[in-house]
Amino acid sequence: MINNIKGCRQDLKHSHGRRPRRQCKWVIGPWTKFPSQPKNFARSIMEVLRPQLIRIEGRIYRKNFIQEQTYQHEDEDDDFYGEPMECSEELGDSYVVDQTERGFQCAVSVPSLLFKYIIGKKGETRKKLEMETRTSINIPKPGVEGEIVITGQQRGGVISAKTRIDVLVESFRRKQPFTHFLSFSLNQPDVQEGFLKFQEKVLEKCSMDRGVSSCLFQNPAKLHLTIGTLVLLNDQEIQWACELLQQCKEDFINKIAGGKALLAEMLGIEYMNDDPSMMDVLYAKVHMKDGSDRLQVIADQLVERFVSSGLMMKEWDKVKLHATVMNTLFRKDPTAEDRNNAPASKSGPRERESFDGRNILKLFENFSFGDLHLNSIHISQRFSTDSSGYYASSGQVDFS
């Protein structure tokens, strides 16, 4: 049993006598017991040794492991923060803390959807934050957008409360399903026609293969290339994303694209899992016609900029330049989208019936869907449709 071990600085040695390159500071949360099952035990150990890192305003924080206890009828949304964080007074230099007649005050911009995580079950999280930081935390009523205001006698206490709220918000934001995504629309008429030909030929030649059916195919009006997914929880965050996209256009998109549409092609297919006989998703590849990497560079730099801003989580080292053409999620829900970064439900991962794609790969490996003129990047709204059949856009930038 490990109980309330905090701030232990250890100069560790390996069994063969070599010292590590640098000292490591371990912060271990209050555990009541280790999980009894070996698999969970190993997972708990790794969560301590390699804790989740959260980036907030250019700084990286470590999320300490806490042994979770499950109570009957408890909603996971009522989960609340369980222990003090390490905070440094020097962080105050990056925060706006106003001095008032009664002490100090700081405002924190938080979407109303996340207020419940600051309040906690029966108000326990807010009470604990206020007690440990000796501050008062004023939170707007549920559903009302507004800033959380922290007041206290000591500037350090206000800074500590602000930092803890930032970490809580970022942690629970990661659990929210994505609401928007940066995309290139690929639903141009020639490509839609090529896609329908692909669908027709696959069903003609491969319909007897296990799991292959017409319900697996993408809606041709919604063919797209996803650059990255976003969790935008109020109008202010949508506006920030639009402003950041416009800034990206001025900073590097104009220079790379040269003020013209990118000429590309949708050519060839690929899959991501190890076994082509057990496919869940089939993709079409997107290439630049001139063989350059300009599309890749734009996509990667967009992700880098949005990740740095805190509006996006990085999922890959490089953006995958491909478009979904078949997806087993469509079998039950034709409007479904890629949910790789959506949180798993309480009942576990959604069940999917795979399909055997070996013949499809063999027969259509280099299938040409058509040429593309990529002239816009959209902030597309998930689960939406505009007048053209594509996703509704919250904002966009054009190359020409």
Side-chain angles (χ1 to χ4, degrees), residues 237-303:
E237 292 188 348
I238 292 173
Q239 182 61 33
W240 287 344
C242 292
E243 291 173 359
L244 181 57
L245 182 59
Q246 180 61 40
Q247 189 63 49
C248 289
K249 180 179 189 287
E250 297 170 6
D251 290 348
F252 60 86
I253 293 176
N254 283 341
K255 181 178 180 180
I256 297 171
K260 299 178 181 179
L262 299 179
L263 302 182
E265 59 183 339
M266 197 161 144
L267 174 66
I269 55 175
E270 64 180 351
Y271 68 105
M272 300 293 288
N273 60 303
D274 295 329
D275 187 353
S277 69
M278 298 287 290
M279 271 191 203
D280 281 322
V281 186
L282 183 70
Y283 303 94
K285 294 182 281 188
V286 179
H287 312 266
M288 285 292 295
K289 291 282 286 185
D290 61 6
S292 72
D293 64 351
R294 289 187 296 157
L295 178 59
Q296 185 72 60
V297 171
I298 289 175
D300 289 341
Q301 289 194 20
L302 278 168
V303 168

Side-chain angles (χ1 to χ4, degrees), residues 30 34 319:
F34 283 109
V319 176

Side-chain angles (χ1 to χ4, degrees), residues 54 56 61-64 81 85-87 95 118 161-174:
I54 299 175
I56 299 174
Y61 297 87
R62 175 180 50 198
K63 182 181 178 184
N64 296 330
Y81 122 113
M85 277 182 47
E86 293 183 65
C87 299
Y95 292 158
I118 312 301
K162 200 272 185 190
T163 302
R164 299 181 194 199
I165 288 174
D166 283 345
V167 173
L168 275 174
V169 168
E170 185 61 24
S171 178
F172 284 107
R173 178 186 290 277
R174 289 169 179 253

Side-chain angles (χ1 to χ4, degrees), residues 7 11 23 30 44 47 70 91 120 126 137 141 161-163 168 183 222 248 251 279 283 296 322 325 336 354 386:
D11 191 5
Q23 292 181 328
S44 300
E47 285 177 322
T70 303
L91 295 179
R126 174 163 59 180
I137 301 173
K141 295 180 179 180
K162 200 272 185 190
T163 302
L168 275 174
S183 75
K222 291 200 169 182
C248 289
D251 290 348
M279 271 191 203
Y283 303 94
Q296 185 72 60
H322 57 208
V325 292
S354 66
D386 66 12

